[in-house]
């Protein structure tokens, strides 16, 4: 596609439920990133994929968070047993090869509200 | 991780005015990007500028890597320039973001 797409745009869930967030990167981009933007923490890195593998999961805030990528394209971020502090905007980005000297392009984000 | 400080945190301008936004970072980087986050939350790429100077219309940016800072210049500001401007840097792949400069351009 022309840009990074994410779905859903908005998600409201009840505390304790699981949610899945989807990211479709720019066609041909091998690197994919997840970030989170919350009022208290600003923009923070969550996880990085190179192809289907995730060499760096250091940013995931807890073991309730997991992510996968299949076919070197679409990625899913799953949050189990959601908590109110998980409320945030989840942003996905992609870049061509994943090198440090590359532009990362961001999607529109998924706004998650946990009640 | 690399620390990123942006200034000023807030800025109010009248339409037509010029402004300079600053980004200081704590370590050597090989990637520096400036973004504009519009009122709908979309992060729009403005510049990839780990060093040197670039211009795009009314916007320009300069990064002095040896002194660990970057500047974003907005000339003849318009109301559509309102939003939050973020600087982000990395020496690897995970971007480290500053807290942003919130810009409001009034008619």
């Amino acid at each position: 596609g022309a840009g990074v797409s994410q779905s859903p745009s908005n998600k409201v869930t009840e505390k304790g439920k699981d949610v899945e967030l989807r990211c479709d990167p720019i066609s041909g981009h091998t690197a994919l990133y997840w970030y989170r933007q919350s009022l208290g923490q600003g923009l923070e890195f969550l996880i990085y994929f190179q192809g289907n593998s995730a060499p760096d999961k250091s940013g995931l805030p807890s073991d309730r968070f997991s992510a996968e990528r299949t076919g070197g394209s679409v990625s899913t971020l799953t949050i189990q047993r959601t908590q109110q502090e998980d409320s945030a905007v989840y942003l996905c980005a992609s870049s061509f090869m994943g090198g440090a000297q590359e532009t990362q392009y961001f999607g529109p984000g998924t706004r998650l509200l946990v009640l | 991780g690399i620390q990123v400080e942006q200034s000023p945190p807030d800025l109010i301008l009248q339409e037509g005015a010029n402004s300079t936004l600053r980004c200081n970072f704590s370590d050597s980087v090989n990637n520096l990007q400036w973004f504009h986050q519009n009122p709908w939350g979309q992060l729009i790429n403005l510049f990839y500028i780990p060093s040197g100077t670039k211009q795009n219309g009314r916007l320009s940016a300069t990064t002095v890597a040896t002194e660990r800072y970057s500047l974003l210049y907005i000339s003849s500001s318009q109301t559509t320039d309102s939003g939050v401007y973020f600087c982000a840097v990395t020496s690897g792949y995970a971007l480290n973001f500053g807290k942003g400069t919130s810009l409001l351009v009034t008619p």
Side-chain angles (χ1 to χ4, degrees):
Chain A
V4 179
S5 60
Q6 294 186 245
S7 61
S9 301
N10 297 280
K11 177 73 176 179
V12 181
T13 191
E14 294 179 349
K15 178 180 170 181
K17 301 281 190 184
D18 297 352
V19 295
E20 283 190 354
L21 313 179
R22 175 188 167 109
C23 172
D24 205 337
I26 292 172
S27 179
H29 280 193
T30 61
L32 185 149
Y33 315 78
W34 284 97
Y35 293 84
R36 179 170 74 171
Q37 185 174 25
S38 57
L39 282 176
Q41 301 297 322
L43 274 150
E44 54 182 345
F45 167 77
L46 297 180
I47 188 170
Y48 157 65
F49 285 93
Q50 179 56 258
N52 290 335
S53 65
D56 186 354
K57 302 180 181 180
S58 63
L60 294 178
S62 78
D63 58 8
R64 296 185 295 104
F65 287 71
S66 63
E68 65 175 13
R69 189 178 185 197
T70 55
S73 181
V74 172
S75 176
T76 302
L77 177 68
T78 301
I79 309 173
Q80 295 178 309
R81 305 182 301 282
T82 52
Q83 304 294 312
Q84 288 179 334
E85 63 261 27
D86 300 333
S87 296
V89 179
Y90 290 82
L91 293 160
C92 177
S94 70
S95 68
F96 182 52
M97 293 286 289
Q101 296 172 327
E102 287 186 348
T103 300
Q104 294 185 24
Y105 297 91
F106 281 76
T110 292
R111 285 149 193 78
L112 175 66
L113 177 61
V114 182
L115 300 177
Chain B
I2 301 173
Q3 304 302 307
V4 183
E5 291 185 2
Q6 292 187 243
S7 59
D10 302 282
L11 187 57
I12 300 175
L13 298 175
Q14 198 153 22
E15 203 167 22
N18 303 328
S19 63
T20 301
L21 281 55
R22 186 176 179 102
C23 171
N24 293 334
F25 44 96
S26 62
D27 207 342
S28 300
V29 299
N30 48 25
N31 185 337
L32 187 149
Q33 292 184 237
W34 281 98
F35 296 92
H36 175 214
Q37 189 167 44
N38 64 22
W40 294 269
Q42 174 78 56
L43 278 172
I44 299 166
N45 292 77
L46 297 177
F47 295 102
Y48 166 79
I49 186 165
S51 64
T53 297
K54 290 186 178 179
Q55 180 154 10
N56 184 3
R58 295 182 297 103
L59 302 181
S60 63
T62 295
T63 298
V64 183
T66 52
E67 298 187 21
R68 299 181 185 167
Y69 74 88
S70 183
L71 302 173
L72 177 70
Y73 305 97
I74 305 174
S75 65
S76 304
S77 58
Q78 300 177 358
T79 56
T80 52
D81 295 332
S82 296
V84 183
Y85 290 79
F86 288 101
C87 169
V89 304
T90 184
S91 59
Y93 43 78
L95 287 173
N96 297 281
F97 284 81
K99 295 187 184 303
T101 291
S102 180
L103 174 64
L104 175 64
V105 181
T106 61

